[in-house]
Amino acid sequence: EPGQTIADVTAAEAQFVKEIARRHPQSPKPIIVGNCQGGWATLLLAATNPDILGPLVINGAPVAYWSGPLGEAPMRYNGGLLGGVLPALVLSDLGGGEFDGAHLVSNFEQLNPGRNFFRKYFDLYDNVDKSRASFLEFERWWNGFYFMNEAEIRWIVEQLFGNRLARGEARLEPGRPIDLKRIRSPIIVFASHGDNITPPQQALNWIVDTYTDEDEIKVRGQRIIYMVHDKVGHLGIFVSSSIAKKEHAEVASTLKTIEALAPGLYEMVIDQQIGEGVDARFVVSFQERKLTDILALDDADRGEERGFAAVDRLSQFGAEIYDLTVRPWLRAFVTPPMAKAAMEMHPMRLQRAALSSRNPVMAPVVAAAA
């Protein structure tokens, strides 16, 4: 909606959850699942409304944005190399005040061009009878680009990529700090070493930054459970991997156990697999851990994260200069028809429109396909 902010979205989510509770008064509090960027959105919702939510399941969610293996996880470095918040502001102004989600999907695809332009099509035709439906379903979902207002994308880049949420410095709106320690619901965190978007350090180091030690987690009556997969990719954590889906099923089936655990930090470990494929069942255990166990996942002492603070300050400086100089002129220059044309001409949309029935040249292909 025009003018909406992240605070508005969080408030709307809270009303939605309250309506669920009103319609199902005999049920326990609803479980909230946050995938990728939905992970920090779930934490925002829980921190600002701690009394209305059941357990939280956070999948492949970047929260400690400055963390990660040294020299790996390219998304960790892209923000600084591209200029921080400045590109998001420029693209929002060129879009007439809206940021096009196609830019985010394009950045993701550029991480693995071989997979994006060749391998996924090879896999499709290699087993076309079985792959057709899943391929089309994924492509329709993947290319359902969404829009954000300039205020929303700016908040995300400045507050999250600036690592303020993990450090307890984020503000949902002026005068309203976000304290993750206020969360009372059990938190289950999924991460994977095969995730090149959200490495385990980004998914887990917020726990280290939020709590002094594991004893504070216990004193506050909190339960945090995490699982680190060996190889499943980012989307596989919540979209396409049968292994990951099976692990989610195990979490759902053991929620009563999780809620009965004594407060503390635990790792969920699969001790035994019974059966194969979709029929596999798992025997799981919860092993108590310390914050040092999470830190041990990193290959460095997190000292390199200090460099990201300088990048963050440079990003703020660039945004201030842009706000005072170029932005007023650019906003006056861009008209709604120009913004719409830029949206339709985005390569992510154009490459599909060019091969669709909207293109008259494709008429013979339409007839042949029928």
Side-chain angles (χ1 to χ4, degrees):
E1 292 295 325
Q4 82 176 19
T5 65
I6 295 295
D8 297 327
V9 174
T10 303
E13 291 167 346
Q15 291 301 317
F16 179 76
V17 172
K18 291 176 182 177
E19 178 64 14
I20 291 174
R22 186 188 69 81
R23 296 189 184 197
H24 303 274
Q26 305 303 319
S27 298
K29 295 177 181 178
I31 301 165
I32 309 297
V33 180
N35 296 327
C36 189
Q37 302 294 332
W40 57 255
T42 299
L43 294 178
L44 290 186
L45 176 62
T48 52
N49 300 271
D51 300 325
I52 65 174
L53 306 180
L56 314 177
V57 182
I58 312 298
N59 303 317
V63 182
Y65 280 81
W66 293 356
S67 299
L70 188 62
E72 299 178 26
M75 288 292 283
R76 179 186 179 213
Y77 299 99
N78 277 355
L81 293 173
L82 296 175
V85 71
L86 184 58
L89 299 182
V90 174
L91 292 171
S92 297
D93 289 337
L94 290 174
E98 290 185 335
F99 180 84
D100 190 349
H103 299 305
L104 302 179
V105 177
S106 178
N107 283 343
F108 185 97
E109 291 193 346
Q110 290 172 16
L111 292 176
N112 193 342
R115 171 68 186 171
N116 176 56
F117 293 109
F118 302 102
R119 183 72 198 187
K120 70 176 181 180
Y121 298 110
F122 177 87
D123 291 342
L124 166 65
Y125 288 105
D126 186 48
N127 192 11
V128 68
D129 292 331
K130 292 184 178 180
S131 301
R132 179 180 183 273
S134 60
F135 177 86
L136 291 175
E137 181 184 11
F138 177 82
E139 288 297 309
R140 290 185 179 115
W141 171 77
W142 184 240
N143 295 285
F145 311 124
Y146 55 89
F147 291 85
M148 288 180 284
N149 291 326
E150 181 270 339
E152 293 176 290
I153 188 65
R154 183 166 191 165
W155 189 94
I156 290 171
V157 176
E158 290 185 338
Q159 301 294 318
L160 299 177
F161 287 81
N163 223 41
R164 289 172 177 78
L165 180 60
R167 301 200 311 266
E169 300 173 1
R171 298 287 186 274
L172 191 58
E173 49 195 352
R176 190 181 181 187
I178 302 164
D179 184 4
L180 297 181
K181 294 181 181 180
R182 293 189 65 212
I183 298 175
R184 293 292 173 262
S185 306
I187 304 173
I188 302 101
V189 183
F190 278 102
S192 173
H193 290 294
D195 189 345
N196 66 343
I197 297 295
T198 307
Q201 295 85 352
Q202 284 190 10
L204 297 172
N205 277 358
W206 67 269
I207 304 171
V208 179
D209 295 335
T210 300
Y211 297 95
T212 304
D213 52 32
E214 57 276 2
D215 291 330
E216 184 181 4
I217 298 177
K218 297 177 181 179
V219 168
R220 291 181 174 273
Q222 180 57 281
R223 299 165 185 83
I224 301 177
I225 298 92
Y226 68 91
M227 173 184 281
V228 182
H229 199 278
D230 289 333
K231 59 184 179 180
V232 66
H234 181 70
L235 292 176
I237 294 178
F238 49 87
V239 175
S240 61
S241 170
S242 59
I243 296 176
K245 288 180 180 178
K246 177 59 68 175
E247 289 172 356
H248 292 176
E250 293 303 324
V251 169
S253 68
T254 54
L255 277 175
K256 291 186 181 297
T257 303
I258 290 173
E259 293 185 294
L261 289 173
L265 177 66
Y266 299 87
E267 181 178 5
M268 181 177 172
V269 179
I270 295 179
D271 296 319
Q272 182 182 359
Q273 178 176 333
I274 304 170
E276 298 291 338
V278 295
D279 298 321
R281 300 292 298 170
F282 299 95
V283 177
V284 301
S285 63
F286 301 95
Q287 300 181 8
E288 193 166 1
R289 295 290 188 243
K290 298 182 178 181
L291 296 186
T292 52
D293 294 313
I294 293 178
L295 290 173
L297 294 170
D298 208 336
D299 58 355
D301 60 358
R302 301 187 71 187
E304 77 280 6
E305 294 184 22
R306 288 191 293 269
F308 285 85
V311 174
D312 178 48
R313 183 65 192 99
L314 181 63
S315 170
Q316 296 178 46
F317 181 71
E320 292 168 4
I321 296 297
Y322 175 73
D323 284 337
L324 293 172
T325 57
V326 179
R327 164 163 271 185
W329 297 95
L330 188 58
R331 282 183 166 178
F333 174 75
V334 175
T335 63
M338 292 173 62
K340 183 177 181 181
M343 181 268 291
E344 293 181 345
M345 294 299 290
H346 192 285
M348 293 297 296
R349 291 188 179 85
L350 197 60
Q351 65 181 333
R352 285 157 178 80
L355 298 176
S356 73
S357 55
R358 292 172 56 188
N359 184 354
V361 178
M362 294 299 293
V365 178
V366 174

